[in-house]
Amino acid sequence: MRVPLSALAALAVVAATAGCGGTKTVTETATATTVRTVTFTTTTTTTASTTGAAEAAPCTGGDLEARFAVVAGSAGAGNIVYSLRLTNVSAAACFVSGLPAVTLLDQNGSPLPTHASAAQPGQATAARIVLQSGAAAKADARFSPDVPGIGEQHTGPCEPKAYVLRVTAPGGGTVAAPINPPTEVCERGGLSFTVYQSAG
């Protein structure tokens, strides 16, 4: 008995199916990872000081308080030393420089003969002394209170007594420095000044 080929093919399919033992299902899980980049920017603000020496202006008469007083123990050989002290009483820094520009005044505020010169000519005459608020500069003056110069009288005071030293400030204006004690300044008001320096 001949079996048709189509029937044999059908039997083969059934046998193959029976031999597999059923259907196997495989599950695959895929995980996706997302990376997020966050950038932080830091801003630094720097504040610069504008009150340094380079920004200081010349002191004016209104910035300063002054006094001109004897240096204790300095009298000798017909000379004496008085010290001029300038204090910055303003809120801002300012500077003084070189030799003091001064005029001696009598008790009534009238000018007296005054001849200020450098104690050491040509030495540091352009030094700039910056004064913060409350700081002081000084310059010392040597002179004769009782030895007459050429053309001055030799009996009695050589010159009228000076009570105030008027100081011209580098930035304009003047400041009055009371003289303590009041004194004659011989040789037509000859004052030998050091340059300004910090009073500490």
Side-chain angles (χ1 to χ4, degrees), residues 9-23:
L11 288 173
V13 170
V14 171
T17 304
C20 288
T23 302

Side-chain angles (χ1 to χ4, degrees), residues 49-186:
S49 173
T50 58
T51 58
E55 291 77 21
C59 296
T60 67
D63 295 330
L64 301 171
E65 185 176 84
R67 65 181 179 87
F68 190 54
V70 66
V71 174
S74 64
N79 289 284
I80 197 166
V81 176
Y82 275 54
S83 186
L84 171 64
R85 185 182 181 94
L86 300 181
T87 302
N88 180 8
V89 294
S90 72
C94 65
F95 72 84
V96 295
S97 181
L99 291 170
V102 298
T103 303
L104 294 163
L105 305 178
D106 67 14
Q107 192 171 15
N108 300 316
S110 298
L112 296 172
T114 308
H115 293 90
S117 61
Q120 297 175 313
Q123 181 177 356
T125 55
R128 176 180 290 195
I129 309 301
V130 176
L131 303 179
Q132 300 297 329
S133 180
K138 71 171 186 174
D140 293 338
R142 179 177 295 277
F143 61 92
S144 175
D146 51 20
V147 179
I150 297 174
E152 292 179 322
Q153 62 183 21
H154 288 253
T155 56
C158 60
E159 295 287 342
K161 187 172 290 187
Y163 285 80
V164 172
L165 185 72
R166 185 170 63 200
V167 183
T168 300
T174 62
V175 58
I179 298 176
N180 183 26
T183 182
E184 294 86 15
V185 181
C186 294

